[in-house]
Amino acid sequence: LKFSEYKYAIVTLTTGNILKSKVIDIVNNNLTIRETTTIYQDNELYGLTAIPSTDGKYWLLSSVKINSIYSPIIMKVNLGGNNQSIICEQTNIINYEFGAQRCTSIKSSPDSKFVVFGIYNNGYRLMRFNAKTGILKATSCTIQSSAKNPSMAFSPNGRFLYVVTGTPVLEQIDLKNYNNCSCNIESK
């Protein structure tokens, strides 16, 4: 995460699926790496992506396991502790269930308007995202796949989503031309 020319942070899921971070300062070409801080450890997290917020902070999107069911979780993070650590200002567990299969990967489109969740052995879920409010909305787009490690990517201009649906099947979804899309991505 880049907070300024001289202030960065690394965010990662560690053993035990705990979300941790380190802040890095760059002063006169010298790096100072701050102590590791825990951002979230209440429940198991799977998959992780960061999306810049419109106010200079970041949204972290993951999936959380609660009572054997996986759902999206969104955390808004910022610098805290005299700019030496990352703090979680807001946490929202989204009322949308992926079921009993964990999310193994998450990607956002270049314009941050779409987020796709890759579900272990159960396909992909495409959702709309608002980087200003942090609101994540389900679409009717569910792409079936038996991939154990879902792979997906957005085109650089954000128009297309590419997903692996089999061996070696790659599917292209046109996010701008809904009529030619294999699934309807209008919001539910």
Side-chain angles (χ1 to χ4, degrees):
L1 311 179
K2 180 179 180 182
F3 289 98
S4 74
E5 246 350 93
Y6 307 102
K7 182 81 65 178
Y8 295 82
I10 298 170
V11 177
T12 188
L13 286 173
T14 64
T15 304
N17 301 325
I18 297 170
L19 187 61
K20 295 193 173 196
S21 69
K22 284 185 182 242
V23 172
I24 301 168
D25 291 309
I26 304 171
V27 178
N28 298 325
N29 292 325
N30 293 317
L31 292 178
T32 302
I33 301 175
R34 305 288 177 192
E35 291 294 316
T36 300
T37 56
T38 299
I39 299 172
Y40 184 89
Q41 64 181 5
D42 296 344
N43 300 288
E44 294 178 28
L45 297 177
Y46 295 89
L48 179 65
T49 196
I51 299 174
S53 176
T54 56
D55 60 2
K57 301 173 185 178
Y58 282 88
W59 298 104
L60 300 180
L61 281 71
S62 188
S63 69
V64 62
K65 180 181 179 184
I66 300 175
N67 299 326
S68 300
I69 299 295
Y70 297 86
S71 299
I73 183 172
I74 301 171
M75 294 161 273
K76 191 169 195 179
V77 298
N78 194 18
L79 289 170
N82 295 325
N83 290 334
Q84 295 186 19
S85 64
I86 296 293
I87 59 167
C88 184
E89 295 182 349
Q90 174 183 343
T91 301
N92 296 321
I93 297 173
I94 308 305
N95 187 20
Y96 179 89
E97 295 180 356
F98 295 135
Q101 298 292 349
R102 71 183 180 275
C103 172
T104 57
S105 53
I106 305 169
K107 300 271 188 206
S108 66
S109 61
D111 61 6
S112 302
K113 291 182 180 178
F114 290 101
V115 176
V116 63
F117 291 81
I119 312 299
Y120 177 85
N121 207 29
N122 199 15
Y124 305 88
R125 307 298 181 273
L126 183 68
M127 303 181 95
R128 290 186 181 275
F129 185 71
N130 182 319
K132 182 176 181 179
T133 63
I135 293 175
L136 186 67
K137 289 186 179 180
T139 68
S140 59
C141 186
T142 298
I143 304 154
Q144 295 304 314
S145 170
S146 59
K148 298 208 184 312
N149 294 304
S151 297
M152 63 270 198
F154 287 92
S155 62
N157 66 2
R159 178 172 179 175
F160 299 103
L161 169 64
Y162 299 95
V163 296
V164 174
T165 57
T167 307
V169 179
L170 180 68
E171 187 172 337
Q172 174 181 288
I173 294 132
D174 187 339
L175 300 175
K176 302 290 184 206
N177 187 358
Y178 305 141
N179 295 330
N180 292 336
C181 185
S182 62
C183 58
N184 178 9
I185 62 170
E186 295 299 320
S187 293
K188 286 183 176 179

